[in-house]
Amino acid sequence: MDNTWASHIRFKPLEHGVDVVVQATTKYEGGYGDTPSGIVIAKHPEDMQIIADELRATGNGAVAPTTCSRLYHRIDSTEERLNQHADNAQRLIDWFLKQPFVTDVLSPTLETSPYHERFERYFKKGNCLFSIVLRSDLSAKHVEAFVDALNLFWVAESWGGHLSLVLPVHAKREVAPLPAGYVLRFHAGLEDYQDLLRDLSQATRCLCK
Ligand SMILES: *Cc1c(COP(=O)(O)O)cnc(C)c1O
């Protein structure tokens, strides 16, 4: 199982019958976008041996000493940071739900999510990530202008750091129909949420006709 979304704070896969877990520590454990790394955990030593042999043969799995040092010093604050990310994300979600240009907010923390029951059962508290679906009459030009007008949200993929991010996504889902409008994925960082809300508010001028 890939446990990156929940991290070791929200979910302990071995306690739920999972044998092998991978987790990117690039995200919350590092917390500042400067720790490209990951961990592999196996329940059975035989599995761990196979994985270790494989990684040695391919040359993967070597993490820079500076990265290990950063992780060593930051891992203990993962829970505090993750909770702050989740609180900030929820404040942004609440704001987006009230905006006329948003037709849907995608997050398992919301009761309207088809994944909410599973979320409640296994994770209980959210993380930094959510997506918004924009009204389908908004053009790519509007959406790009909105993203460009944001000052506090960086356009980047790898989430989990202290800075907030926004990323236009091209959802490919086979089990559920695709939303009609453009989708933006947000990562809520550790900034003051009022600054983030002010920044989002000023950028909405770009969504007017
Ligand atoms: C980011 C991510 C990874 C890989 O992390 P990197 O260290 O950035 O390559 C793996 N799985 C999931 C679910 C992720 O979000």
Side-chain angles (χ1 to χ4, degrees), residues 126-159:
N127 71 357
C128 60
L129 289 176
F130 66 92
S131 297
I132 63 166
V133 183
L134 294 161
R135 232 174 44 211
S136 59
D137 61 316
L138 290 168
S139 68
K141 259 201 168 132
H142 284 111
V143 179
E144 283 162 20
F146 173 71
V147 170
D148 284 346
L150 292 168
N151 295 311
L152 296 182
F153 294 81
W154 298 72
V155 179
E157 250 177 57
S158 191
W159 44 271

Side-chain angles (χ1 to χ4, degrees), residues 5-23:
W5 185 90
S7 90
H8 66 288
I9 301 296
R10 296 281 191 260
F11 190 68
K12 306 242 189 289
L14 299 193
E15 293 172 11
H16 295 267
V18 176
D19 289 328
V20 179
V21 186
V22 292
Q23 188 178 310

Side-chain angles (χ1 to χ4, degrees), residues 2 4-5 24-27 36-37 158-159:
D2 183 336
T4 303
W5 185 90
T25 45
T26 313
K27 310 276 170 66
S37 56
S158 191
W159 44 271

Side-chain angles (χ1 to χ4, degrees), residues 3-180:
N3 195 36
T4 303
W5 185 90
S7 90
H8 66 288
I9 301 296
R10 296 281 191 260
F11 190 68
K12 306 242 189 289
L14 299 193
E15 293 172 11
H16 295 267
V18 176
D19 289 328
V20 179
V21 186
V22 292
Q23 188 178 310
T25 45
T26 313
K27 310 276 170 66
Y28 298 121
E29 288 75 9
Y32 292 86
D34 59 357
T35 53
S37 56
I39 49 175
V40 184
I41 301 155
K43 193 171 208 159
H44 309 291
E46 316 85 84
D47 287 339
M48 201 64 240
Q49 194 55 53
I50 294 169
I51 294 161
D53 292 346
E54 183 80 16
L55 292 178
R56 213 166 285 135
T58 59
N60 289 317
V63 175
T66 45
T67 300
C68 295
S69 168
R70 285 171 183 151
L71 287 168
Y72 177 76
H73 288 292
R74 295 176 190 162
I75 196 156
D76 286 349
S77 64
T78 307
E79 183 162 8
E80 285 75 10
R81 288 183 281 106
L82 183 50
N83 288 340
Q84 184 62 34
H85 283 293
D87 290 347
N88 272 0
Q90 199 55 51
R91 280 161 165 150
L92 301 189
I93 287 172
D94 293 343
W95 183 83
F96 275 118
L97 284 169
K98 285 185 264 167
Q99 303 308 310
F101 56 87
V102 173
T103 55
D104 204 1
V105 177
L106 309 177
S107 166
T109 60
L110 296 171
E111 276 174 27
T112 49
S113 165
Y115 307 107
H116 185 67
E117 193 213 314
R118 227 189 295 169
F119 167 80
E120 282 288 320
R121 181 150 28 114
Y122 294 118
F123 306 124
K124 308 230 165 29
K125 199 163 158 65
N127 71 357
C128 60
L129 289 176
F130 66 92
S131 297
I132 63 166
V133 183
L134 294 161
R135 232 174 44 211
S136 59
D137 61 316
L138 290 168
S139 68
K141 259 201 168 132
H142 284 111
V143 179
E144 283 162 20
F146 173 71
V147 170
D148 284 346
L150 292 168
N151 295 311
L152 296 182
F153 294 81
W154 298 72
V155 179
E157 250 177 57
S158 191
W159 44 271
H162 60 309
L163 300 174
S164 290
L165 309 175
V166 57
L167 190 72
V169 290
H170 306 283
K172 279 195 204 120
R173 279 195 291 175
E174 287 175 14
V175 286
L178 292 176

